[in-house]
Amino acid sequence: MAQSAVIADVAKSDAKERIAFADAALALAGHEVTDPVVRDLMGRLARDEMTGDEAVAALRRHIQG
């Protein structure tokens, strides 16, 4: 397997673990994120496709219209 493929697999695994951790933390607090747009933002943030500030701005646009 090429090095870039290995890095991509690790990044995908890390993102899944980050999302699972966030879901578990929310569940412990009695919450669950079901909105597909918010779930997508969580995934993009976990995969380092956007910064936290960008995610917050996108979330505000989605929620506040």
Side-chain angles (χ1 to χ4, degrees):
M1 182 178 284
Q3 183 178 3
S4 61
V6 171
I7 291 171
D9 285 345
V10 169
K12 185 185 285 187
S13 175
D14 286 348
K16 286 181 181 181
E17 289 177 13
R18 290 175 183 174
I19 293 168
F21 181 84
D23 284 338
L26 286 165
L28 286 172
H31 303 286
E32 180 182 11
V33 176
T34 58
D35 184 307
V37 174
V38 178
R39 298 285 310 170
D40 179 63
L41 287 171
M42 287 174 61
R44 292 178 60 199
L45 185 61
R47 291 185 301 274
D48 293 325
E49 295 174 2
M50 63 186 341
T51 66
D53 289 342
E54 291 170 331
V56 168
L59 181 62
R60 284 185 176 154
R61 285 191 303 272
H62 173 64
I63 301 296
Q64 296 173 345

